[in-house]
Amino acid sequence: MNFKNAAVSLILGLALSYSFIWIVGIGAGAVTPDALAGYTYFALNVYPNILIIILSSVFSVGIVAALHKAAALKAVRSTSLALAPIFAYLVYLLFTVPAAIPSIGVAAVPAIAAVIYISFLKERV
């Protein structure tokens, strides 16, 4: 593995880690549609998480595709370097702000799945 591939993988992980805060903020501050106003539990607990999952999935696939084109790589070469900042951030939150783990975890799961899927897709080709 050369330096360029390692740097791109690390930048991908850092960008995804940073995006979790932004995505959770958007999901938590989203306006609930009027059709869901009668369903209090769904509107307060489920709807923001669905929005976070969708935004995280779209952003993760988008940033992986952008790095794919910008760096002329077929996919992320080093899965561990891409996932290290994500897991480091989750461990940091676990010890400093444990209450943030559920909401950040909802955003982290699609990002981790996207990175792993793209790396395994590259290995199969």
Side-chain angles (χ1 to χ4, degrees), residues 9 12-17 19-20 23 52-53 55-61 63-64 76 78-91 101-121:
S9 296
L12 173 67
L14 290 171
L16 290 175
S17 296
S19 72
F20 299 154
I23 290 171
I52 290 169
I53 290 170
L55 286 173
S56 180
S57 300
V58 169
F59 188 77
S60 300
V61 170
I63 199 162
V64 169
V76 178
S78 175
T79 308
S80 60
L81 277 177
L83 294 177
I86 296 171
F87 287 125
Y89 182 60
L90 290 175
V91 168
I101 289 293
S103 59
I104 298 289
V106 167
V109 169
I112 292 168
V115 170
I116 291 173
Y117 177 73
I118 296 292
S119 67
F120 283 126
L121 189 68

Side-chain angles (χ1 to χ4, degrees), residues 18-56:
Y18 177 74
S19 72
F20 299 154
I21 299 168
W22 176 67
I23 290 171
V24 168
I26 290 174
V31 178
T32 306
D34 291 334
L36 298 176
Y39 305 101
T40 309
Y41 177 80
F42 185 81
L44 292 177
N45 297 322
V46 180
Y47 179 72
N49 287 338
I50 291 173
L51 226 72
I52 290 169
I53 290 170
I54 291 170
L55 286 173
S56 180

